[in-house]
Amino acid sequence: MTPYEYEIRMLACQLKRLDREFNTHMQAWATRQIKTTKGKKQEPYYKDFKQFFDYEKREKEILGLSLIDEQIDDATIDLLRNVNK
């Protein structure tokens, strides 16, 4: 097995683990959604599942994508291009 193949297999293993983690959190969400409330109004503690478990964020962490990349706007990129000229 080449190092490249090993890295691909490790990535697949991590993504498989992420799917198991998602399923575990989904089951916990369904169970707790019925029981957990806050305040006198009996509102759910988490409004939606993404507050409880952010699948996309975890996936980007595993794949090595930077969360900062999404926050850079076009004006900042243009400014960096002008500085580098």
Side-chain angles (χ1 to χ4, degrees):
M1 179 184 323
T2 66
Y4 177 73
E5 290 172 335
Y6 177 77
E7 286 181 28
I8 295 295
R9 287 180 187 237
M10 291 304 296
L11 179 61
C13 179
Q14 289 176 331
L15 290 173
K16 188 176 180 180
R17 188 178 318 140
L18 173 63
D19 287 338
R20 278 187 267 149
E21 187 178 341
F22 174 78
N23 290 333
T24 302
H25 279 82
M26 183 61 83
Q27 180 64 40
W29 167 260
T31 302
R32 298 300 294 168
Q33 189 67 12
I34 296 169
K35 299 176 184 177
T36 303
T37 58
K38 66 177 180 180
K40 295 180 181 178
K41 297 179 183 179
Q42 299 297 315
E43 297 177 13
Y45 188 76
Y46 296 104
K47 299 291 183 191
D48 59 8
F49 183 72
K50 191 168 184 173
Q51 289 179 331
F52 183 67
F53 180 74
D54 192 351
Y55 185 88
E56 290 82 17
K57 179 181 174 186
R58 289 279 296 128
E59 185 177 36
K60 287 178 183 180
E61 288 173 3
I62 290 172
L63 295 175
L65 301 176
S66 174
L67 297 176
I68 296 172
D69 292 343
E70 295 179 357
Q71 298 173 357
I72 297 177
D73 59 351
D74 292 333
T76 306
I77 292 172
D78 290 338
L79 179 64
L80 290 172
R81 285 183 185 146
N82 291 336
V83 169
N84 290 327
K85 286 183 181 182

